[in-house]
Amino acid sequence: VLFVLIALGTAFAIGWWHLRNRGFRRARRWRALAYVAGLGAVGLALISPVDRLASLSFLVHMVQHELLIMIAPPLLLLADPLPILLWGLPRKLRLGVRHLLARGAMVRRILYSGTWMPVAWGVYVVNLWMWHLPVAYEAALRNHLLHDLEHLTFFGTAVLFWWPIINPAPRLHGQVAYGFRILYILAATFQTVALGFAIAVTERVLYSHYAAAPRLWGLSPLDDQAYGGAIMSEAG
C-alpha cells in the first residue's frame, strides 16, 4: 500500500509540476492539496494504527471503512487526477494509457458503464450491504486476502459512486443536472443510514469476532457495535 501511495503521489507531483510550468489551469494548488489529502486518508485507513485497531473494535473498523468510502474517493476525484497523472508518466506509457481511454476503447466503455448513475449506485449499495452480512464480514476478518478484497471493493465502488457527482475527466456522461445528483446522493444516503441504524439498534452481537476480542475503552461488544452503526449512519 505504501509503495502504491508513493508511486501515485510521485506521478501526480511530476504531472502537476509539468502542467504548472506550462500555465495549465488544471494545476491548481487546491487540487494538489485535495489529492494529497485523499492519499493521506487511504494511508490512514490502511497503514496506520487504525488498521490494527479495526480487528479489535467494530467502531474503529467503521471509521476505517468511512475513510475508504466517504473521504478518500471524493477528495481524489476533486483533484481531477487523470490528466495530471498522465503528464507524470513517461511519454510511451502516457501514450499507451491515452490509447486505452480513447473514444471507443474497451477501457473507456467499461468506465462509461461503471460510472453511469444507475449502475454506480447499484454496485455501491449492493457491495456495502453484502460485506456487512455477518457471514461475509466474519470471513473477511479471518482471511487477510479476503479482507484486502473487501477494502479494495469498498474503495473501487465508492470511486464509481462519486464519479458522476464530481464529474472529473474524462467527463463520460456530460454535465449531469444538479437535481439528479442530489436525488442520487439522497437515495444512497438512505441506504447507508438504514444499514447503520439496523446494526446500531440490534440487541445481539452480529459479529462474533468482536465478542471474543480484547475490550477497548471499556466498551462492551454490543456498545461497540452500536457506536459503529451510529458512525455509519452519521457519515452516510
Side-chain angles (χ1 to χ4, degrees), residues 47-65:
I47 55 175
S48 79
V50 169
D51 186 52
R52 294 191 292 274
L53 292 174
S55 64
L56 303 177
S57 168
F58 181 76
L59 185 160
V60 179
H61 209 162
M62 291 305 98
V63 171
Q64 182 185 48
H65 289 175

Side-chain angles (χ1 to χ4, degrees), residues 11 14-15 18-19 22 82-89 94 98:
I14 294 172
H18 282 319
L19 291 176
R22 288 168 171 77
L82 191 56
I84 300 174
L85 286 170
L86 284 175
W87 277 95
L89 298 176
R94 180 167 69 246
R98 282 181 174 175

Side-chain angles (χ1 to χ4, degrees), residues 48-133:
S48 79
V50 169
D51 186 52
R52 294 191 292 274
L53 292 174
S55 64
L56 303 177
S57 168
F58 181 76
L59 185 160
V60 179
H61 209 162
M62 291 305 98
V63 171
Q64 182 185 48
H65 289 175
E66 296 307 320
L67 286 168
L68 293 173
I69 295 171
M70 302 299 292
I71 305 299
L75 284 172
L76 292 172
L77 293 177
L78 282 169
D80 202 10
L82 191 56
I84 300 174
L85 286 170
L86 284 175
W87 277 95
L89 298 176
R91 185 174 183 276
K92 288 186 178 180
L93 184 56
R94 180 167 69 246
L95 294 176
V97 174
R98 282 181 174 175
H99 178 72
L100 292 175
L101 295 173
R103 294 185 182 278
M106 179 65 71
V107 172
R108 189 182 179 102
R109 291 203 298 268
I110 292 172
L111 187 60
Y112 177 90
S113 299
T115 55
W116 185 46
M117 274 187 164
V119 173
W121 188 92
V123 169
Y124 168 77
V125 170
V126 169
N127 184 73
L128 184 68
W129 280 79
M130 181 193 73
W131 280 114
H132 285 89
L133 294 174

Side-chain angles (χ1 to χ4, degrees), residues 35 143 209:
Y35 190 81
N143 187 294
H209 171 89

